[in-house]
Amino acid sequence: MLVLDGLTVGLIILLVIGAYLIGAMYIYAPFKIRRQQAKDVKVDYVPIELPELAPEVAQAFFDATRGLAACGFRAIGHLTHCTHKTAQESYVSIWVNPSGVEHAQVIGVCTPSELQGLRVVTLVTFRTEFTDGSSIVTTSSSSTGVFPRDPKISAIRCPGIRDFALLYRFHRARVERDRAGRTATLDRVKDARTRMENEWTETYHRLIGAGYYSLDLTRQQYVPTLKGAFLMTYRLLPPFKQIQRFQRDRAAERTLRELGFGGMDAFRNAQSLPAAVGAASTVASPR
């Protein structure tokens, strides 16, 4: 009769728990993601006025109003969108700068959770689009994302940067160095609602082409493929998440140094405006 000592039993229990966790994260989770991440083909963006914003994101958007206006931008519209399946509420404010031929988006996302309360994420993104379909993007987002890189977009993320003017100066420096004779255009930013609807459709058509999603005409939904579900899940898990973050942080660090901003630490320390955009917070309980 086999008799196991306490240490052996403990090791077996640890191995069983480890196998369970690995199976749950790397095998079961993609199937769960596949069920949860189906997206409607037609997304309903609703115009909204700034006083109607949820209080959790209002301050960030009011800061944006002052900061972007000081940089020469003017608002063309504010929108909200609710994902009923998850009760997630999203807000976006779209601004254009005709003199610089670029636009900005201020985004706020409120995600309720029974365990963590209401998680609020805000960010600002500057974008210069060119007539050849390419673009240069600079964002304060901290997310590494789960989708494959779009080869037409040169994007740099600067997490923790809340100073609009500073981030905008960095974006302008990138455009001046990297535009390579391309012609900037605002033709695709005529009104806020059309812009966001087109952006949604173009994103998922690109993902269909990359094999991440398929189009279900019956349900009128974009549905993750098995390949897409696994790849999107793995981009959220170690070591893939850490590798992505390292690569993107290194690209930001290198570009900041090349353009005379002294690297990410110096860039953060150079901020002069304690604005709320670019932050993530958790409210005590979901609304």
Side-chain angles (χ1 to χ4, degrees):
M1 179 177 178
L2 181 63
V3 179
L4 301 178
D5 59 29
L7 179 59
T8 302
V9 171
L11 289 174
I12 291 174
I13 292 174
L14 288 176
L15 288 172
V16 170
I17 292 174
Y20 170 77
L21 291 175
I22 290 173
M25 288 191 300
Y26 291 88
I27 299 175
Y28 170 70
F31 291 95
K32 184 177 180 181
I33 288 288
R34 193 181 187 193
R35 292 194 304 270
Q36 293 179 339
Q37 292 302 310
K39 304 294 184 180
D40 292 335
V41 169
K42 183 173 176 55
V43 63
D44 188 19
Y45 287 102
V46 179
I48 190 174
E49 297 299 326
L50 289 179
E52 301 175 80
L53 290 168
E56 295 84 7
V57 300
Q59 187 59 53
F61 279 72
F62 287 132
D63 287 342
T65 298
R66 294 190 295 269
L68 291 175
C71 293
F73 286 81
R74 60 176 177 81
I76 64 168
H78 319 288
L79 305 167
T80 182
H81 167 62
C82 179
T83 304
H84 297 289
K85 185 188 300 183
T86 60
Q88 184 183 72
E89 294 183 34
S90 303
Y91 304 88
V92 60
S93 180
I94 300 183
W95 298 66
V96 296
N97 185 343
S99 63
V101 196
E102 58 227 340
H103 70 278
Q105 291 184 6
V106 182
I107 298 171
V109 181
C110 302
T111 306
S113 167
E114 293 182 0
L115 297 177
Q116 298 180 339
L118 184 67
R119 178 169 173 77
V120 181
V121 176
T122 58
L123 61 101
V124 62
T125 295
F126 293 101
R127 183 187 298 263
T128 301
E129 296 180 338
F130 302 99
T131 52
D132 65 356
S134 62
S135 61
I136 294 174
V137 174
T138 309
T139 179
S140 65
S141 173
S142 61
S143 173
T144 55
V146 297
F147 295 153
R149 175 180 170 273
D150 187 340
K152 294 182 179 181
I153 298 177
S154 172
I156 293 289
R157 51 185 285 278
C158 299
I161 301 301
R162 302 175 302 279
D163 187 327
F164 291 101
L166 182 64
L167 189 65
Y168 181 51
R169 287 202 302 272
F170 176 47
H171 178 74
R172 288 301 312 160
R174 292 185 62 215
V175 172
E176 291 305 314
R177 186 189 70 171
D178 299 336
R179 67 187 306 154
R182 290 177 289 178
T183 302
T185 178
L186 285 173
D187 284 350
R188 299 179 64 249
V189 198
K190 298 281 178 74
D191 71 87
R193 192 170 188 173
T194 300
R195 168 67 195 197
M196 292 308 299
E197 289 173 347
N198 290 342
E199 197 170 291
W200 178 271
T201 301
E202 291 165 6
T203 295
Y204 283 95
H205 281 191
R206 181 175 73 85
L207 294 175
I208 289 173
Y212 274 60
Y213 272 79
S214 62
L215 176 60
D216 187 326
L217 291 173
T218 302
R219 294 161 55 189
Q220 281 295 291
Q221 286 187 323
Y222 300 115
V223 180
T225 62
L226 196 57
K227 165 191 169 180
F230 271 88
L231 290 176
M232 287 189 290
T233 303
Y234 287 176
R235 286 172 183 266
L236 296 172
L237 297 173
F240 310 104
K241 181 177 180 178
Q242 287 73 17
I243 291 171
Q244 278 194 101
R245 179 167 292 152
F246 172 76
Q247 291 173 335
R248 298 194 182 198
D249 288 349
R250 185 174 62 176
E253 179 77 18
R254 182 181 64 249
T255 307
L256 284 163
R257 290 186 180 278
E258 290 172 352
L259 293 174
F261 290 88
M264 186 58 74
D265 288 341
F267 197 51
R268 289 196 181 100
N269 292 334
Q271 296 182 94
S272 59
L273 298 176
V277 175
S281 62
T282 302
V283 181
S285 60
R287 291 184 294 126

